[in-house]
Amino acid sequence: MKDNKKVVYWLFTGCFLIFIMVIVGGITRLTNSGLSISDYKLITGTIPPMNEQEWNEAFELYKQYPEYQKLHYHFTLEDFKGIYFWEWLHRLIGRVIGLVFIIPFLYFVFTKQLTSSTFKKSLILLALGAFQGFMGWYMVKSGLVDIPAVSHYRLAAHLMTAFITFAYAFWVAMDLLYPKKKAVNKGFRNLLWVGMIILLLQIVWGAFVAGLDAGWIHNTWPKMTGGEWIHETVFIEQNPVWKNFIEGKSGVQFVHRYLAYIVVAVILYIWYRSRNMTLTLPQKRGINWLVGLVFFQFVLGVLTLIYAVPVWLGVAHQVGAFFLLTAMTFTLHRFSR
């Protein structure tokens, strides 16, 4: 039997592992651990240093790069071990995800358990996974040259690839769970697509905030520092002015703050538009989850800002974005076929 439950379990397992990887990636970022491993060894890198000599060799390699020379020059070997762990774990989970996607895929192909449609979708999924791995190394590489920080553009690209890979795997699994097609309200579906695009933009700017450490300034709400709705530094950190909104700390935080209101407003409008529609139970649940999660995520964002991004709140906020994207993907799927 093609596209059986095993295939659905496989896809959901991949989704779960991507979710775990995003959590560990968030911890890695917030603990400044991402540049602790400056080389990439696909096979031998799976095993961390096992004795004192190997740890010293890894530490000496780390000392050759800007992060140690400019920021962590006071680090002892024990300090280094602490940041090494999170980056090693992040990469290990990435390798596991690769195996979890590739090995069952080959098994399903050889045993002819995939329809032509699911086979093609799985190839796209594998390509997204490979690109995600490449983006991870491409991101790390940007912090090994002169400035001991990764490019916030590459960080955003790395995070977005993970979110999109997850959403696509989830969508393919949903295709298999709900194979029967029904009439589609194209207007409402398009409204959901607008919500999805705005949510993805908000996630991008969230990554910009993380990459620029812009969450450690203007730690007041609802107004910015000094009781201003728009702080003067929003417009003067970069030249020309428009660069402030993609490269300036104040400008990037400003965009992320006010996009949050737009996300909430759009989801509330989705809920309002759905009130007089005849909905299936999954459609009702999807919209209810959207409303509940967007308010939960909004509160998490405010708390993360006010408390200047402690690790646990920063990770919780990222997890909230993940759940909100899941709810949006589920809801969009249920109104698309």
Side-chain angles (χ1 to χ4, degrees):
M1 180 180 176
K2 294 190 175 183
D3 288 352
N4 55 34
K5 288 184 179 180
K6 292 179 185 176
V7 180
V8 176
Y9 292 148
W10 166 56
L11 292 167
F12 278 139
T13 300
C15 288
F16 175 74
L17 287 173
I18 294 171
F19 170 66
I20 296 300
M21 189 175 186
V22 168
I23 292 176
V24 174
I27 297 173
T28 301
R29 170 63 194 166
L30 291 167
T31 55
N32 295 313
S33 303
L35 297 177
S36 58
I37 304 177
S38 49
D39 58 358
Y40 189 82
K41 298 176 181 177
L42 182 61
I43 306 301
T44 56
T46 305
I47 303 173
M50 300 300 290
N51 54 53
E52 201 68 13
Q53 179 182 343
E54 291 179 358
W55 273 115
N56 281 316
E57 289 174 356
F59 192 28
E60 288 302 315
L61 181 62
Y62 177 65
K63 289 179 179 180
Q64 297 175 23
Y65 292 94
E67 183 172 78
Y68 175 81
Q69 295 166 359
K70 296 181 179 181
L71 292 179
H72 293 164
Y73 46 83
H74 59 285
F75 263 30
T76 64
L77 180 59
E78 291 304 311
D79 294 324
F80 172 68
K81 288 179 180 180
I83 63 172
Y84 186 100
F85 169 77
W86 288 112
E87 176 64 7
W88 169 79
L89 181 61
H90 187 53
R91 295 190 186 193
L92 177 65
I93 296 171
R95 291 179 172 93
V96 171
I97 290 173
L99 293 175
V100 165
F101 274 113
I102 292 171
I103 294 175
F105 170 73
L106 294 175
Y107 167 76
F108 292 138
V109 170
F110 288 129
T111 55
K112 298 180 179 179
Q113 296 186 44
L114 300 177
T115 62
S116 174
S117 176
T118 304
F119 173 75
K120 292 175 184 176
K121 293 172 184 176
S122 298
L123 287 179
I124 294 173
L125 188 55
L126 292 175
L128 283 170
F131 185 65
Q132 164 68 1
F134 165 76
M135 284 306 305
W137 174 240
Y138 186 60
M139 176 189 70
V140 169
K141 194 176 178 182
S142 67
L144 300 177
V145 185
D146 299 312
I147 302 173
V150 299
S151 161
H152 69 291
Y153 294 119
R154 298 188 190 185
L155 173 66
H158 182 50
L159 181 66
M160 287 306 298
T161 308
F163 274 73
I164 290 170
T165 303
F166 167 86
Y168 188 74
F170 188 74
W171 188 280
V172 176
M174 294 289 292
D175 282 346
L176 303 182
L177 284 175
Y178 297 97
K180 294 181 180 180
K181 296 185 179 182
K182 60 183 183 304
V184 173
N185 182 329
K186 293 183 179 179
F188 193 77
R189 180 199 61 189
N190 293 341
L191 174 61
L192 285 166
W193 269 115
V194 170
M196 173 67 87
I197 291 168
I198 293 173
L199 176 59
L200 290 174
L201 285 174
Q202 174 68 330
I203 293 170
V204 168
W205 257 268
F208 285 174
V209 169
L212 293 171
D213 292 329
W216 294 345
I217 61 173
H218 306 307
N219 300 111
T220 56
W221 184 86
K223 296 182 179 180
M224 301 178 81
T225 305
E228 297 175 292
W229 289 104
I230 306 175
H231 196 266
E232 60 180 11
T233 54
V234 167
F235 303 103
I236 63 175
E237 291 181 4
Q238 301 291 325
N239 189 36
V241 173
W242 61 266
K243 290 187 74 173
N244 285 284
F245 303 108
I246 56 173
E247 294 184 4
K249 291 186 178 183
S250 295
V252 163
Q253 191 198 102
F254 169 79
V255 173
H256 193 53
R257 277 176 178 250
Y258 288 96
L259 264 179
Y261 292 110
I262 295 173
V263 171
V264 172
V266 169
I267 289 178
L268 285 177
Y269 183 62
I270 288 170
W271 168 79
Y272 176 78
R273 281 278 303 275
S274 72
R275 290 188 310 156
N276 297 321
M277 296 171 59
T278 302
L279 305 178
T280 64
L281 183 59
Q283 289 172 336
K284 289 179 182 177
R285 286 176 174 171
I287 290 174
N288 288 337
W289 274 107
L290 270 180
V291 173
L293 284 169
V294 78
F295 281 110
F296 179 69
Q297 176 66 349
F298 188 90
V299 171
L300 275 178
V302 171
L303 292 175
T304 303
L305 178 67
I306 291 174
Y307 289 102
V309 201
V311 172
W312 72 273
L313 260 178
V315 172
H317 189 45
Q318 188 163 296
V319 169
F322 209 99
F323 284 148
L324 187 55
L325 179 68
T326 303
M328 183 64 81
T329 304
F330 175 84
T331 307
L332 180 58
H333 188 279
R334 288 297 72 229
F335 282 93
S336 296
R337 53 176 294 158

